[in-house]
Amino acid sequence: MSNYKQETLCVQAGYQPKNGESRIPQICQSTTFFYGDTQNMADLFDLKAEGFFYSRLANPTVEALEKKVAALEGGVYGLGCASGMSAILLTAMTLCEAGDNVVCANEVYGGSFNLFSVTLPKFGIECRFFDANCSAERLESLIDERTKFVFAETVANPAIVVLDFEKLANVCKKHGLLLIVDNTLATPVLCRPLSLGANIVIHSTSKYIDGHAAALGGMIVDGGNFNFKGNKRYPAFNVPDESYHGLVYGELPVAFGTKCRAQMMRDTGAIMSPQNAFITYLGCDTLALRMERTARNAEKVAAFLAAHPKVEWIHHPSLKDDPYHERAEKYLPNGTGGMMSFGIKGNAKDCARFMEALKLITQETHVADVRSCVLHPASTTHRQLNKQQLKDAGISANLVRLSVGIENADDLIADLTQALNAV
């Protein structure tokens, strides 16, 4: 499958039926699996054989989606998680222990920011934040011998900052450090972070990959392009795991992915459900088609908003005067997705008046599906941030987040027009 293009992988990757089998993956709604061979089952528990024995660790339906997304990202291993947040948490828990630290961009989704700034410190893991536009030297100043990874988003939610892959990848390589990228808003159709220097990719599959706001889920993709063996920065990968009879993860072909599933997925049970994996697998079939339409719609809507007298500013990299336009052309030449943010001339009350006047576009806690929607991040998804943190994340009181779907662009513009007239 590796020789096929993204459009083909969206449809064909992940599952290949044998003679007489279902053409699409079946929903394996079972917690457990039968084995008549005692040794075979013992080998599964010791990670000496491939297969399934309990759906808390792995499931055939979930595996089909894992393989599809891993193929799309160009990775070697996927782990389907209960949500995008659990995907980030499992990744951090696999790599960190008390006394370690991570380095994260300010410009990330509010839930991710809260995980790094509030929750992980409760487990003794420090987070050091940086401005995505800072110099390489500033980024390096945050790194020490206990730093385990750098985390950022391909397209930041909702600041719409396009990641400078070259800068971050060079710093991480210099320090022998993992670069982890949340690729939710770009998807592997528009950007493949592993080809740009990332080592692990995260997705909230609840967004574009599912595409229909129907199934909660997350995905971790191991790029298989980082050497853990003998790496002093990652001692946990080079000591025997006695719960698996002395297995050393750094010596395995897939070190991170195996450790994450064998330890953290096992102990937390944060795996995606078979039903959600099935829905997401079907949604992924049309990912390439939907991203093409979404990107074109977003370009039209962004141009309209940029010219509207009641819009103070707008961020979408398709606009030639956007500060990230050139970077987007370099890293996302086929479009930057449907997410944009813009400022209503006024305050939060004016934003509320605008959103409540919309008739076609809905106000909801979601982005990146077939339906267009809006939200006021400062009072919802990022309300746990203080004023300085909101400023650092690029979120003003008059910021409206708009996720453009696949409706007719003229209808969307007409709805935006009448709602702006109400402000």
Side-chain angles (χ1 to χ4, degrees), residues 369-380:
D369 65 56
V370 294
R371 289 163 289 272
S372 297
C373 59
V374 293
L375 198 69
H376 184 249
S379 62
T380 55

Side-chain angles (χ1 to χ4, degrees), residues 33-54:
F33 304 85
F34 168 77
Y35 287 91
D37 187 324
T38 304
Q39 185 59 50
N40 190 358
M41 198 165 191
D43 288 342
L44 288 169
F45 272 84
D46 281 345
L47 306 183
K48 295 179 179 179
E50 294 184 0
F52 308 94
F53 55 89
Y54 199 59

Side-chain angles (χ1 to χ4, degrees), residues 71-399:
L72 284 165
E73 286 289 4
V76 299
Y77 195 84
L79 293 102
C81 306
S83 66
M85 289 306 306
S86 65
I88 299 173
L89 177 61
L90 287 172
T91 298
M93 291 173 67
T94 302
L95 296 168
C96 302
E97 58 186 46
D100 289 335
N101 66 79
V102 300
V103 178
C104 177
N106 285 315
E107 301 85 349
V108 293
Y109 166 62
S112 304
F113 188 94
N114 198 68
L115 171 66
F116 286 119
S117 65
V118 177
T119 303
L120 288 183
K122 294 178 181 178
F123 296 93
I125 301 167
E126 178 192 1
C127 184
R128 302 166 180 179
F129 289 95
F130 67 95
D131 185 323
N133 294 311
C134 75
S135 66
E137 291 74 21
R138 166 59 183 160
L139 180 58
E140 286 188 77
S141 71
L142 301 175
I143 297 170
D144 61 27
E145 69 278 0
R146 295 298 297 268
T147 304
K148 288 298 186 286
F149 61 85
V150 174
F151 181 90
E153 297 175 354
T154 302
V155 179
N157 174 10
I160 319 299
V161 174
V162 177
L163 186 62
D164 187 343
F165 280 95
E166 185 176 358
K167 177 181 70 181
L168 266 66
N170 285 341
V171 168
C172 287
K173 288 178 181 177
K174 179 179 178 180
H175 292 271
L177 192 61
L178 285 160
L179 174 57
I180 300 175
V181 175
D182 185 327
N183 198 33
T184 296
L185 293 186
T187 81
V189 170
L190 299 180
C191 182
R192 301 178 88 187
L194 296 176
S195 68
L196 299 171
N199 306 109
I200 296 169
V201 175
I202 301 289
H203 282 280
S204 169
T205 59
S206 319
K207 310 304 189 296
Y208 284 126
I209 289 180
D210 160 32
H212 301 84
L216 197 65
M219 188 66 64
I220 305 169
V221 178
D222 185 345
N225 56 358
F226 190 86
N227 183 22
F228 287 95
K229 186 176 181 179
N231 193 322
K232 294 182 180 179
R233 186 180 288 279
Y234 301 94
F237 284 78
N238 292 285
V239 296
D241 182 352
E242 296 308 326
S243 65
Y244 288 102
H245 303 293
L247 180 70
V248 178
Y249 294 102
E251 297 176 353
L252 301 178
V254 180
F256 171 83
T258 304
K259 187 176 190 292
C260 186
R261 188 184 299 279
Q263 290 185 335
M264 298 308 156
M265 190 73 83
R266 175 197 64 188
D267 292 346
T268 65
I271 192 170
M272 187 184 295
S273 75
Q275 181 73 43
N276 283 359
F278 177 77
I279 294 171
T280 306
Y281 186 97
L282 295 184
C284 196
D285 287 349
T286 60
L287 177 62
L289 293 172
R290 289 186 283 103
M291 294 310 296
E292 180 180 359
R293 175 62 174 264
T294 298
R296 300 294 84 81
N297 273 359
E299 290 170 6
K300 294 176 182 178
V301 170
F304 161 76
L305 290 171
H308 200 283
K310 292 187 178 180
V311 174
E312 183 178 334
W313 54 266
I314 178 169
H315 294 320
H316 193 263
S318 65
L319 300 169
K320 291 186 178 179
D321 61 349
D322 187 271
Y324 302 102
H325 180 72
E326 289 188 12
R327 196 178 292 173
E329 287 194 321
K330 178 180 180 180
Y331 296 124
L332 299 101
N334 297 319
T336 54
M339 265 276 290
M340 64 187 68
S341 60
F342 61 96
I344 299 286
K345 287 184 177 178
N347 54 30
K349 290 184 179 179
D350 294 306
C351 293
R353 192 173 293 112
F354 160 74
M355 293 189 295
E356 290 167 2
L358 291 165
K359 298 177 180 178
L360 177 64
I361 302 169
T362 52
Q363 185 178 180
E364 57 189 75
T365 310
H366 204 247
V367 294
D369 65 56
V370 294
R371 289 163 289 272
S372 297
C373 59
V374 293
L375 198 69
H376 184 249
S379 62
T380 55
T381 57
H382 291 68
R383 70 176 302 124
Q384 71 269 31
L385 277 64
N386 60 41
K387 289 184 178 180
Q388 185 58 50
Q389 290 171 331
L390 286 170
K391 182 179 179 180
D392 292 341
I395 302 169
S396 59
N398 70 336
L399 184 152

Side-chain angles (χ1 to χ4, degrees), residues 3-76:
N3 295 326
Y4 291 115
K5 298 186 183 302
Q6 295 294 75
E7 296 87 345
T8 302
L9 292 174
C10 283
V11 178
Q12 296 286 354
Y15 170 77
Q16 297 298 316
K18 298 176 182 177
N19 286 337
E21 289 186 340
S22 169
R23 182 59 189 87
I24 61 174
Q26 294 180 321
I27 303 172
C28 185
Q29 195 65 51
S30 177
T31 61
T32 191
F33 304 85
F34 168 77
Y35 287 91
D37 187 324
T38 304
Q39 185 59 50
N40 190 358
M41 198 165 191
D43 288 342
L44 288 169
F45 272 84
D46 281 345
L47 306 183
K48 295 179 179 179
E50 294 184 0
F52 308 94
F53 55 89
Y54 199 59
S55 284
R56 177 158 50 84
L57 284 93
N59 173 278
T61 313
V62 179
E63 183 187 62
L65 179 64
E66 292 170 341
K67 288 182 176 180
K68 183 187 283 277
V69 179
L72 284 165
E73 286 289 4
V76 299

